[in-house]
C-alpha cells in the first residue's frame, strides 16, 4: 500500500478556503508555519500525493478532517503516523482513528 494521500478533486476548494479561514494570508505563510516546503503544500492544494504524516498534519492545522477530504480509492490505511502539533508529538493509528500523545518537545 502507498504511504501517501491526496486531496479528492471535489475537496480542493475546501482546503484552499480553510487556509484563508484560518488566517493565513498566503500558501507561503502557511508552509513556513508548518516548516514545509512551499512545493509540498502546493502538491497538497492541487490534489497531488503527499506523505501520510504531512497530509494529516496539514489537515489538522487547517481544522479539516483528513478522512473526509482524502482520496483513498479502495485503500484503507493500516499504519501509524507520527505528527507534531504545537511541539507535542501525537501518534495517529490510521486504522482506528485514535490519537495518542507520545511526548513533548
Amino acid at each position: 500500500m502507498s504511504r501517501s494521500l491526496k486531496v479528492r478533486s471535489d475537496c480542493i476548494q475546501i482546503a484552499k478556503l480553510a487556509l484563508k479561514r484560518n488566517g493565513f494570508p498566503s500558501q507561503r505563510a502557511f508552509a513556513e508555519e508548518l516548516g514545509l516546503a512551499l512545493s509540498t503544500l502546493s502538491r497538497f492544494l492541487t490534489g497531488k500525493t503527499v506523505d501520510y504524516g504531512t497530509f494529516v498534519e496539514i489537515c489538522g492545522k487547517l481544522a479539516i478532517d483528513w478522512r473526509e477530504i482524502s482520496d483513498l480509492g479502495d485503500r484503507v490505511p493500516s499504519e501509524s503516523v507520527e505528527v507534531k502539533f504545537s511541539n507535542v508529538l501525537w501518534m495517529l493509528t490510521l486504522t482506528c482513528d485514535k490519537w495518542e500523545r507520545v511526548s513533548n518537545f
Side-chain angles (χ1 to χ4, degrees):
M1 179 177 71
S2 173
R3 297 183 54 89
S4 59
L5 290 172
K6 64 181 180 176
V7 176
R8 289 191 344 244
S9 60
D10 61 319
C11 294
I12 291 172
Q13 192 59 33
I14 292 170
K16 289 179 178 180
L17 290 172
L19 193 73
K20 299 294 182 192
R21 183 186 70 226
N22 284 284
F24 293 98
S26 67
Q27 291 180 18
R28 182 176 304 280
F30 184 65
E32 288 175 0
E33 171 85 14
L34 289 176
L36 298 174
L38 180 57
S39 60
T40 300
L41 182 60
S42 177
R43 290 182 60 77
F44 175 87
L45 292 171
T46 57
K48 295 185 175 95
T49 58
V50 297
D51 175 77
Y52 268 124
T54 302
F55 188 93
V56 172
E57 182 179 14
I58 291 169
C59 289
K61 189 71 172 179
L62 294 176
I64 301 172
D65 185 339
W66 68 270
R67 293 170 305 274
E68 291 182 10
I69 71 163
S70 61
D71 183 356
L72 293 174
D74 59 358
R75 298 176 294 137
V76 177
S78 61
E79 57 189 82
S80 294
V81 175
E82 292 184 356
V83 181
K84 185 178 144 191
F85 292 114
S86 303
N87 294 327
V88 176
L89 183 65
W90 295 86
M91 176 76 72
L92 172 63
T93 303
L94 298 173
T95 54
C96 65
D97 187 32
K98 176 184 169 191
W99 285 96
E100 176 183 326
R101 188 176 188 151
V102 178
S103 67
N104 288 329
F105 283 84

